[in-house]
Amino acid sequence: MSIRFRLLLSFTSVVVVSVILFVSAAYLLSVAVTGDFRSISSFYKIHYSLHPLSEEEETIFIDLKYLAKHDPQKLKDRLLLEDYDFKLKMVQAGLVVRNHDELIYAAPIFEGVNFAEILPPYDLGNHSIRNTINAGSRFFSYAKFDFYFSAAKDDKGSIFVLRERSPFAEVVRKLLPILIAVFTAILLLTGFLLYRYVTRKIVQPLDGLRQSAEHIKDGDLTFELRSASTDEVGQLVMTFEEMRKQLYDSIQLQLHYEENRKQLLSNISHDLRTPITTIKGYAEGIRDGVTDTQEKLDKYVEAIHTRAADMERLVEELLLYSKLDLKKEPFSFEQVELNGFLHRVVGELAIEFDTHSVEVSWEQAPRQERFVLADREKLKRVMMNLFDNCFKYLNQDPKKITIGIEERGEHIRVKLADNGPGIKRESLPHIFERFYREEPSRSLGAGGSGLGLSIARQIIEGHGGTIWAASEPGQGTSVYFTLKIFVDRR
Ligand SMILES: Nc1ncnc2c1ncn2[C@@H]1O[C@H](COP(=O)(O)OP(=O)(O)O)[C@@H](O)[C@H]1O
Ligand SMILES: [Mg+2]
């Protein structure tokens, strides 16, 4: 059974049950008001025109009818009429007698009612003897009998036994069917609108979900779901949509990884092949006796050594990078005073700075102690990689490096600025990617493996910091990284 059908069924049953309840309530109400079990049926089936009077009234009416048939003259006797009227009064009814168009008797309890004008015309066949009449705002049910007072055929007369009914009952009697019809119509309409609303809010989004799931099953993850509502179904749709997005992203990421892996393999093969070819060339030279002098031989062996050392460095970098990438390289954090630490690193490299004729200057004069939690070895590695780039890429004299340490909120920011050639704007976002080199030539002589900055990034991120670069082509490059300030909580 579909949800749509179930909804239709439930709304229909609600309508039916409501109607039944309403009708029963109306019945019970009428019983409560009139105190009569058959009130509803007398309302509609028998009605006042058939049962205008109670049993006692009816008996009196039959007595009067008997008189009218057999001894009509007696009905002109006022005393007798008063006597009957008195009996009727006991049961809240009254007698009215008419002779031609004149009332010869009207019960005192109907005072103020102008019967002469509202009484029905003569119907001497007595076809319709029970009915109702309105007198202004008052409402009566009655039984009447038309007869002749004497054998002289035109001495017409009527007796009326009337009972006053509450006009409210009449209004209800007339309005009740309309009310029930209106009520049912409202119920049906509300039910229909609710059904439409619920279908729109539940069934349609579910339909969308099913479609999306089918698209996913067929491998199409681009099918987007939208939900305007925030109710449970809306949330379900949104969660589903989120799941689809994540699935899509993860597949995209997987593809990206796959692409990267291929790229990585090709880069490594290329970077290893170049020095191997060179080494092979030199080795063949030696084998073929090209190195006929000791001097030549020394040169060849030296070249082989250099290439082998380059390869060793590359393999070592690769290993470190992949360990960091796989989070297999352990960090041994300790409290480090950054200012002193950086000065020591620069001090250790004094000879290197001299050979490359690089001037190092510090931005802040007074040495301030700044503590961070760091792995000394790895942090040194970061600095070495950054300095290494300066040595490699600075090309004008005098070569200058400025080091700055600055406190920024919870972090310390280290800046390493040079006055080198700078980095092109389009390359800047990529320099921290593995194997990325601005100069695409991959020969080891012309630069490095392109792993230096990616290793630096892995290490800094492993410390919970960030690393980035700013550069103005022709002016120089600044590399920044942040480290969290160490707070002694003991
Ligand atoms: N100080 C610098 N000045 C100019 N370019 C730089 C500097 N540092 C890095 N770069 C650029 O960023 C690229 C990536 O650097 P890196 O990852 O260390 O690789 P590598 O040094 O092996 O080329 C370099 O190839 C170079 O183009
Ligand atoms: Mg480098």
Side-chain angles (χ1 to χ4, degrees):
M1 207 193 290
S2 73
I3 291 187
R4 218 179 267 270
F5 186 67
R6 268 180 223 200
L7 282 173
L8 199 64
L9 208 67
S10 64
F11 281 123
T12 317
S13 31
V14 164
V15 169
V16 169
V17 167
S18 306
V19 169
I20 291 174
L21 282 179
F22 181 73
V23 170
S24 335
Y27 175 71
L28 288 177
L29 198 73
S30 82
V31 168
V33 168
T34 61
D36 184 359
F37 284 113
R38 291 156 302 160
S39 56
I40 277 277
S41 50
S42 61
F43 250 23
Y44 294 107
K45 278 199 211 121
I46 313 171
H47 184 31
Y48 299 140
S49 48
L50 289 178
H51 258 312
L53 306 174
S54 68
E55 247 168 71
E56 286 144 277
E57 292 158 350
E58 199 68 28
T59 337
I60 298 165
F61 174 65
I62 288 167
D63 281 357
L64 287 165
K65 209 165 109 182
Y66 183 83
L67 271 182
K69 276 184 184 161
H70 299 98
D71 197 356
Q73 282 306 321
K74 271 199 175 161
L75 291 173
K76 285 189 176 173
D77 176 354
R78 194 164 176 84
L79 279 176
L80 184 98
L81 293 178
E82 271 173 6
D83 192 34
Y84 275 115
D85 190 36
F86 184 72
K87 284 189 215 160
L88 283 171
K89 203 175 137 196
M90 307 303 287
V91 287
Q92 274 125 41
L95 177 68
V96 172
V97 180
R98 134 177 107 169
N99 187 1
H100 293 284
D101 296 330
E102 249 171 69
L103 293 184
I104 55 171
Y105 185 83
I109 57 160
F110 300 142
E111 220 200 295
V113 182
N114 189 1
F115 282 113
E117 284 179 6
I118 54 163
L119 286 182
Y122 282 98
D123 160 35
L124 287 153
N126 286 312
H127 297 299
S128 150
I129 60 168
R130 291 161 220 275
N131 213 331
T132 56
I133 45 169
N134 289 307
S137 59
R138 296 173 79 174
F139 172 68
F140 303 90
S141 62
Y142 66 82
K144 75 153 188 169
F145 186 73
D146 293 338
F147 60 96
Y148 292 105
F149 274 105
S150 64
K153 282 287 173 182
D154 56 341
D155 197 9
K156 294 184 284 187
S158 318
I159 45 169
F160 290 89
V161 173
L162 295 114
R163 185 191 174 90
E164 184 158 13
R165 301 277 172 176
S166 131
F168 172 75
E170 175 63 358
V171 167
V172 169
R173 190 179 69 82
K174 276 189 182 150
L175 278 186
L176 208 58
I178 301 173
L179 238 132
I180 289 182
V182 168
F183 183 79
T184 313
I186 289 175
L187 259 178
L188 277 173
L189 191 73
T190 327
F192 175 71
L193 288 180
L194 269 176
Y195 166 73
R196 276 273 309 271
Y197 176 78
V198 173
T199 318
R200 251 214 358 256
K201 290 280 167 184
I202 297 177
V203 180
Q204 281 176 8
L206 286 181
D207 243 14
L209 269 186
R210 186 186 49 76
Q211 272 178 29
S212 182
E214 259 164 28
H215 276 272
I216 289 174
K217 194 181 77 190
D218 296 341
D220 172 18
L221 282 162
T222 53
F223 186 80
E224 212 172 304
L225 264 181
R226 247 181 273 270
S227 169
S229 70
T230 49
D231 57 11
E232 289 85 340
V233 177
Q235 281 168 10
L236 174 68
V237 170
M238 277 188 274
T239 315
F240 189 90
E241 171 62 12
E242 225 152 79
M243 186 197 76
R244 180 199 65 81
K245 252 191 231 151
Q246 274 178 12
L247 203 60
Y248 180 75
D249 288 349
S250 83
I251 286 179
Q252 266 342 76
L253 197 68
Q254 212 62 43
L255 289 175
H256 181 72
Y257 278 158
E258 184 61 19
E259 187 54 37
N260 264 10
R261 199 182 57 80
K262 283 184 196 154
Q263 190 69 42
L264 192 68
L265 265 178
S266 127
N267 288 344
I268 294 170
S269 337
H270 183 275
D271 281 1
L272 287 178
R273 215 182 120 210
T274 322
I276 287 173
T277 316
T278 323
I279 289 171
K280 206 174 127 207
Y282 282 122
E284 276 167 4
I286 296 171
R287 187 190 63 193
D288 298 345
V290 181
T291 52
D292 40 9
T293 64
Q294 184 62 37
E295 202 185 327
K296 257 191 186 167
L297 183 67
D298 285 350
K299 219 180 95 193
Y300 272 49
V301 170
E302 184 54 36
I304 290 174
H305 183 263
T306 315
R307 298 298 185 278
D310 281 348
M311 269 174 67
E312 190 188 21
R313 209 187 64 224
L314 172 62
V315 170
E316 188 258 331
E317 273 188 343
L318 255 175
L319 205 65
L320 177 61
Y321 176 81
S322 76
K323 272 191 196 163
L324 285 166
D325 198 27
L326 293 169
K327 311 274 181 269
K328 289 261 171 70
E329 177 72 15
F331 283 72
S332 56
F333 290 110
E334 54 191 315
Q335 190 183 335
V336 176
E337 197 285 294
L338 196 61
N339 218 320
F341 174 80
L342 292 181
H343 275 86
R344 266 194 306 282
V345 173
V346 172
E348 278 172 32
L349 289 174
I351 299 169
E352 298 262 342
F353 286 120
D354 256 5
T355 351
H356 293 95
S357 47
V358 175
E359 292 170 22
V360 179
S361 56
W362 297 80
E363 255 180 12
Q364 62 276 67
R367 264 209 202 184
Q368 227 181 325
E369 288 199 327
R370 298 188 200 264
F371 289 97
V372 292
L373 207 58
D375 180 323
R376 284 172 195 277
E377 275 304 305
K378 301 213 167 51
L379 200 56
K380 191 171 163 189
R381 181 73 190 232
V382 172
M383 294 311 288
M384 299 287 253
N385 285 6
L386 297 183
F387 284 135
D388 192 43
N389 283 349
C390 296
F391 298 150
K392 249 187 308 193
Y393 301 112
L394 296 204
N395 53 1
Q396 77 228 55
D397 283 322
K399 298 174 182 169
K400 282 185 186 161
I401 296 179
T402 315
I403 304 172
I405 306 171
E406 209 181 301
E407 205 172 306
R408 302 213 143 194
E410 294 180 354
H411 292 90
I412 291 182
R413 194 188 72 179
V414 178
K415 179 177 91 169
L416 208 128
D418 64 44
N419 64 340
I423 301 166
K424 281 191 218 110
R425 197 171 295 274
E426 62 268 26
S427 308
L428 204 55
H430 303 292
I431 58 170
F432 292 96
E433 289 169 12
R434 61 188 175 195
F435 290 112
Y436 184 84
R437 305 195 57 240
E438 210 176 359
E439 208 57 56
S441 133
R442 303 213 66 87
S443 81
L444 286 175
S449 56
L451 282 172
L453 286 182
S454 43
I455 287 175
R457 185 175 73 172
Q458 294 272 19
I459 293 174
I460 293 300
E461 285 177 357
H463 280 75
T466 43
I467 185 167
W468 71 98
S471 179
E472 194 60 52
Q475 303 285 317
T477 307
S478 302
V479 178
Y480 300 87
F481 63 84
T482 59
L483 291 170
K484 239 192 172 144
I485 294 175
F486 174 72
V487 187
D488 199 345
R489 293 191 197 280
R490 277 173 298 173

